Amino acid sequence: MLACAKLIAAGLAVIALGGTSIGIGNVFGSLLNAFSRNPSLRGQLFTYTILGFALVEAMGLFALMMSFLFLYG
């Protein structure tokens, strides 16, 4: 019974990785949109994009860490 609950909890925690992939697509899609509107801000836009990518990816890694914690903890 406990093993089944661990698997269910790990599976639910992994659902957040789908949101992470959507967030990464949003970040880079917004970069392309902003760059096409104002190409002169390329460096500043890319800096903000990398910051946004790092934050979104960190949330995905936290979700993966929680999944492993539920599964093997």
Side-chain angles (χ1 to χ4, degrees):
M1 186 70 166
L2 182 62
C4 185
K6 283 184 177 185
L7 290 174
I8 291 172
L12 290 175
V14 171
I15 291 174
L17 295 177
T20 301
S21 62
I22 292 171
I24 290 172
N26 248 347
V27 166
F28 285 107
S30 296
L31 170 70
L32 292 175
N33 191 12
F35 182 65
S36 66
R37 290 175 183 260
N38 195 353
S40 64
L41 293 177
R42 180 179 182 188
Q44 186 178 9
L45 290 173
F46 188 71
T47 303
Y48 290 150
T49 300
I50 294 299
L51 177 64
F53 172 74
L55 293 174
V56 171
E57 188 70 22
M59 296 307 289
L61 290 176
F62 289 146
L64 189 63
M65 180 188 67
M66 290 304 296
S67 174
F68 286 144
L69 182 70
F70 291 147
L71 194 58
Y72 298 115

